[in-house]
């Protein structure tokens, strides 16, 4: 098959041949060579932005710096000013790749990448997907993503899908009737892999479980499934692997950066150390030892159009003790820093705590398909859920007891059954939201 995917990127001004060659060179480094590469690239990108980017120079407060640790940590609020004010000398909207973040963290903004940096992002994606025998030019993708609903936006996205050799399932309606149609497509098309939002893919797996179908038995060309954008829990992974009959690969990325971590065939969440430098920092912006949780702070080593240096992505994570500079392993992604419930006692709990607590109990009978938790007051929460039948008093009592055990007593919960849950305009499901 003609390499349409690479060609379309090349025609749009992204130098794919050069980017792929550079990535191959970086991947081939010895551990010692890689350490030198990281040290040099960090210095190079900071010096570049101090000399060519007035926004970054102002943030640092000087043209010079002595220690890496003294550089400021950039946050999303810093970036909520016109893009024109943040671009480096010589870069404009016309000669850069421009996009906007999804805003799933609550703080959306427009960003830029120079074209070489964006080509490297694609080279990095191509390299990692290649671990599973997936080739973007020839492998056929079943894509579970949102899609613009306006005519022009929709057609543009469909054309990109055609060039990228993928078939898109819109995830805004995932009722059983729609999932039945999706299943028929798998019977009729030779998909090589699935890629998309975790919650939608897990929902499809539960639908298959209910019908007692293993997807690879009706679509034998299927090799692997990559999930992204939302947390994948271990029991969901086990269920999905069973129902799809292929490995489930966990991906963690950010549109403004690159793939941050990608599960390798050894079941390790391998951090991208080729185009990014990832740090785990405490509240004083100091690196914590491996094995300790902290804020995930990332430096884009190649982006000259826009600085992402010591950029706090808004997530909390832990690097594995066995991590090296060349091969960092993400042991755990704990979740967004802003997804924190503040309780009457003053205790702060990640929103995921509720998810873990309620998930195991709610799914006892398999009726509840999805749910979200919203904190409305310091002591009050709403749980919206999609289910074939209402939760009964015994189930509610069980959930409240577990919450008391994991969190604290005297919290008020309202349970609201719904036909479907509200997703972002991109189709993401935000599991916990604080209204405080």
């Amino acid at each position: 098959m003609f390499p349409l995917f690479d060609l379309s990127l090349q025609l749009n001004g992204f130098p794919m041949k050069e980017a792929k060659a550079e990535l191959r060179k970086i991947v081939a480094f010895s551990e010692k060579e890689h350490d030198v590469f990281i040290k040099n690239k960090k210095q190079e990108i900071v010096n570049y932005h101090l000399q060519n980017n007035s926004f970054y120079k102002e943030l640092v407060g000087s043209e010079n710096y002595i220690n890496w640790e003294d550089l400021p940590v950039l946050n999303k609020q810093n970036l909520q000013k016109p893009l024109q004010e943040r671009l480096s000398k010589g870069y404009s909207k016309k000669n850069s790749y421009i996009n906007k973040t999804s805003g799933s963290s609550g703080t959306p903004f427009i960003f830029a990448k120079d074209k070489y940096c964006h080509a490297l992002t694609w080279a990095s994606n191509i390299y990692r997907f290649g671990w599973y025998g997936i080739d973007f030019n020839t492998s056929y993708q079943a894509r579970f993503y949102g899609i613009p609903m306006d005519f022009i936006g929709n057609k543009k996205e469909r054309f990109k899908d055609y060039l990228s050799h993928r078939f898109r399932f819109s995830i805004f309606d995932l009722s059983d009737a729609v999932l039945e149609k999706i299943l028929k497509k798998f019977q009729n098309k030779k998909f090589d892999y699935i890629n998309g939002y975790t919650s939608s893919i897990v929902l499809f797996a539960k639908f298959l479980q209910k019908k007692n179908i293993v997807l690879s038995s009706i679509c034998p060309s299927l090799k692997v499934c990559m999930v992204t954008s939302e947390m994948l829990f271990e029991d969901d992974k086990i269920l999905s692997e069973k129902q799809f009959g292929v490995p489930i690969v966990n991906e963690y990325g950010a549109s403004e950066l690159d793939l941050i971590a990608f599960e390798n065939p050894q079941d390790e969440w391998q951090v991208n150390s080729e185009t990014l430098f990832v740090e785990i920092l405490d509240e004083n912006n100091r690196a914590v030892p491996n094995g300790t949780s902290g804020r995930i702070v990332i430096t884009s080593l190649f982006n000259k159009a826009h600085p992402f240096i010591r950029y706090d992505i808004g997530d909390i994570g832990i690097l594995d003790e066995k991590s090296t500079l060349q091969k960092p392993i993400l042991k755990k992604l704990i979740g967004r820093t802003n997804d924190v419930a503040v309780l009457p006692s003053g205790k702060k709990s990640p929103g995921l705590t509720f998810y873990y607590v309620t998930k195991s109990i709610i799914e006892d009978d398999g009726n509840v398909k999805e749910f979200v938790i919203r904190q409305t007051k310091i002591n009050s929460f709403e749980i919206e859920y999609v289910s074939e039948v209402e939760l009964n008093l015994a189930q509610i009592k069980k959930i409240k007891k577990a919450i008391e055990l994991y969190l604290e007593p005297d919290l008020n919960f309202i349970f609201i059954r719904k036909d479907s849950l509200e997703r972002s305009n991109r189709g993401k499901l935000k599991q916990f939201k604080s209204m405080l």
Side-chain angles (χ1 to χ4, degrees), residues 199-254:
S199 59
S200 311
I201 287 169
V202 169
L203 204 59
F204 185 44
K206 288 177 181 175
F207 171 77
L208 293 171
Q209 184 188 38
K210 200 163 68 175
K211 291 183 75 77
N212 201 17
I213 291 171
V214 173
L215 196 58
S216 60
S217 67
I218 62 161
C219 183
S221 54
L222 198 64
K223 295 188 188 85
V224 66
C225 168
M226 282 81 173
V227 297
T228 189
S229 289
E230 300 154 332
M231 294 292 288
L232 173 67
F233 294 88
E234 193 53 37
D235 52 350
D236 283 340
K237 184 179 181 176
I238 292 163
L239 167 83
S240 303
E241 285 192 333
K242 186 184 169 195
Q243 295 310 138
F244 293 155
V246 297
I248 305 292
V249 175
N250 213 348
E251 177 189 298
Y252 169 45

Side-chain angles (χ1 to χ4, degrees), residues 354 358 362 371-377 379-385 390-391 396 399-400 403 411-418 421:
F354 295 91
T358 51
I362 272 182
F371 63 92
V372 292
I373 297 163
R374 196 173 282 115
Q375 184 172 17
T376 52
K377 294 178 190 166
N379 65 342
S380 300
F381 299 84
E382 287 178 356
I383 297 183
E384 291 183 354
Y385 64 97
E390 291 264 1
L391 286 175
I396 288 171
I399 292 165
K400 286 182 174 176
I403 286 167
L411 298 174
N412 303 316
F413 285 85
I414 297 169
F415 294 85
I416 306 161
R417 184 174 159 230
K418 306 199 86 172
L421 296 178

Side-chain angles (χ1 to χ4, degrees), residues 68-69 277-281 287 295-299 310 319:
W68 177 262
E69 290 74 19
F277 172 63
V278 177
E279 300 173 86
I280 308 286
L281 304 184
R295 289 146 54 229
I296 299 177
V297 172
I298 301 176
T299 298
R310 302 199 93 202
L319 282 181

